[in-house]
Amino acid sequence: MEVKDASTQMFFSSMSKGVHVWENTYVVSRPGTYEAGIATVQGAYTPEYSAHSASTTLEVAN
């Protein structure tokens, strides 16, 4: 896992066929409306195999 300012990158040595779910926990210190970006998956040696998710909006209340 590599955490950067605008992204978090995860690396896997192998991945089987099927549906995979990744979950991360974050702490939000201020209420407001936040936009979560897309998640992108791409093969290191086969970049033509890739997929992405939709973005979503997160509403944080007091």
Side-chain angles (χ1 to χ4, degrees):
M1 180 183 251
E2 182 178 86
V3 179
K4 296 185 174 185
D5 288 342
S7 67
T8 301
Q9 298 179 355
M10 297 180 190
F11 302 93
F12 301 92
S13 58
S14 66
M15 187 175 295
S16 61
K17 275 184 152 181
V19 176
H20 302 276
V21 177
W22 289 277
E23 296 180 3
N24 285 340
T25 302
Y26 295 96
V27 176
V28 179
S29 60
R30 296 180 185 193
T33 303
Y34 296 90
E35 183 74 24
I38 63 171
T40 304
V41 176
Q42 184 178 42
Y45 301 109
T46 53
E48 62 272 12
Y49 295 117
S50 63
H52 63 84
S53 70
S55 66
T56 186
T57 302
L58 178 65
E59 189 81 29
V60 178
N62 287 343

